């Protein structure tokens, strides 16, 4: 029995799940219809996303409800849609306001979640805010995928999630559900997709329907490692969110999996903890609080990721060796950056390598004078100038280096959204997740 045959039954949605989600949809649809009548807004309430396309996974308790509205315009969507949705749904269900290019809301009920997205139908397919393409996506995928291929999509989505590259949000910069569907349409199956991916050398250009202008697209998406021409909009790259890093993660995972398939590549079959010892390292943590609920998650994650990158550069320039860095947020009030380091304190002495003896004299002199002024020294070690200096105490501590960074302007993206911060650095403990960042699919190589 192949790994895929083993995993697939775990991924198919259950009848109970589908019936609960349908009833949830009916509840929302009814509330919105009532509201639309009262305000004389005309249009349709429709089910989109993976539930409508038949590619939903068994542990997904989310539906996508799109309101295709006739007598509203883009101005209404930007300014009034939010209030409309909160008033229509908010008196019965908890509603959270979200943004992508436009406001939409997320409604929750007993662990289920619905994204409710208003769209101006009259605004034209390509001139609106992006969301009006979704019904076309649903239609396209439905016309191209039979039940067998929907299974193949489920395998690919679970694989992408398992290796941490599922989702087009800023936080992941990976593969959306729609992109996974397009890859299955194009390559035919999960295996065939992996076989092709394992040979990918970016930039990759894929045109499932053969409708794109390659020159135009490669120019428009110059920085994209992957271009997949959207079958419903030939000028759009359906893979625009995919970062180089996500792409390479997928290529590596595809190669490893084809070599030795293992259930741990699939999110549904991953163990909650791995049989790996925590590394004897140190964890530097910067935890900050702020009012995040009102901010678009994409902007919160964007700032967090940029801040982490700048903190990393700061620490590295001071001599810290960084093994791994993770960012977290509840998108509500807290964000954190966690860094696995070889040490929280650097040694008292810092060794510096100088220019080679044959290089120009000015550089050599500068090196020597600098070391001497720093109460250090300089000498020849083989054919190279070498020096050393006492490291100032303030530069020895990862905590102080982080505080220094926190009060510098390069930490602004973080402080603007979450100004109250605390910093700590502790030896790795029992909590072995951040202390051994090996993901399950890589750890699967350990088995006999
Ligand atoms: P989803 O992210 O819910 O994807 O977006 P999905 O295909 O249903 O897959 P899973 O199973 O939930 O992971 C559904 C549709 O909504 C549109 C996208 O175009 C997608 O086709 N969408 C999503 C937006 O227009 N705006 C958003 O902010 C998010
Ligand atoms: Mn969805
Ligand atoms: Mn959604």
């Amino acid at each position: 029995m192949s790994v895929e045959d083993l995993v697939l039954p775990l991924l198919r949605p259950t009848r109970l799940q589908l019936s609960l989600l349908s009833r949830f949809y009916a509840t929302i649809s009814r509330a919105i219809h009532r509201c639309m009548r009262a305000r004389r807004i005309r249009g349709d309430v429709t089910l989109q996303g993976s539930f409508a396309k038949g590619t939903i996974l068994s542990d997904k308790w989310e539906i996508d409800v799109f309101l295709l509205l006739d007598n509203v315009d883009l101005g209404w969507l930007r300014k009034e849609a939010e209030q409309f949705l909160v008033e229509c749904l908010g008196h019965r269900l908890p509603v959270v306001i979200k943004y992508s290019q436009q406001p939409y809301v997320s409604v929750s009920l007993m662990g289920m979640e619905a994204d409710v997205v208003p769209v101006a139908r009259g605004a034209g397919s390509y001139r609106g805010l992006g969301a009006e393409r979704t019904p076309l996506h649903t239609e396209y995928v439905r016309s191209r995928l039979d039940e067998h291929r929907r299974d193949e999509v489920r395998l690919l989505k679970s694989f992408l999630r398992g290796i941490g590259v599922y989702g087009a949000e800023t936080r992941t910069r990976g593969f959306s559900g729609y992109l996974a569907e397009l890859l299955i349409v194009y390559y035919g199956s999960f295996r065939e997709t992996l076989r092709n991916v394992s040979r990918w050398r970016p930039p990759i250009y894929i045109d499932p329907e053969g409708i794109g202008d390659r020159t135009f697209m490669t120019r428009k998406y110059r920085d994209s490692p992957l271009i997949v021409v959207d079958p419903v909009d030939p000028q759009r790259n359906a893979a625009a969110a995919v970062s180089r890093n996500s792409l390479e993660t997928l290529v590596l995972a595809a190669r490893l999996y084809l070599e030795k398939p293992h259930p741990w590549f699939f999110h549904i079959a991953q163990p909650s903890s791995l049989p790996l010892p925590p590394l004897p390292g140190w964890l530097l943590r910067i935890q900050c609080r702020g009012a995040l609920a009102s901010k678009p998650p994409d902007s919160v994650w964007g700032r967090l990721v940029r801040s982490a990158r700048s903190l990393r550069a700061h620490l590295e320039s001071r001599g810290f060796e960084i093994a791994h860095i993770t960012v977290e947020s509840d998108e509500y009030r807290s964000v954190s950056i966690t860094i696995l380091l070889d040490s929280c304190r650097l040694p008292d002495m810092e060794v510096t390598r100088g220019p080679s003896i044959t290089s120009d004299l000015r550089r050599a002199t500068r090196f020597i004078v600098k070391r001497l002024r720093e109460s250090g020294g300089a000498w020849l070690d083989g054919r190279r100038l070498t020096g050393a200096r006492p490291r100032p105490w303030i530069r020895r501590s990862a905590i102080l280096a982080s505080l220094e960074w926190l009060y510098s302007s390069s930490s602004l993206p973080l402080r603007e959204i979450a100004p109250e911060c605390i910093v700590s650095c502790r030896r790795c403990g029992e909590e072995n997740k951040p202390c051994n960042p090996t993901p399950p699919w890589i750890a699967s190589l350990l088995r006999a």
Side-chain angles (χ1 to χ4, degrees), residues 49-50 53 60 62 64 66 100 104 131 134 137 157 166 177-178:
S50 57
K53 293 179 283 192
K60 188 89 187 179
E62 181 249 26
D64 300 280
F66 278 62
S100 52
Y104 69 102
T134 299
H137 289 164
K157 279 166 76 163
Y166 183 71
Y178 180 55

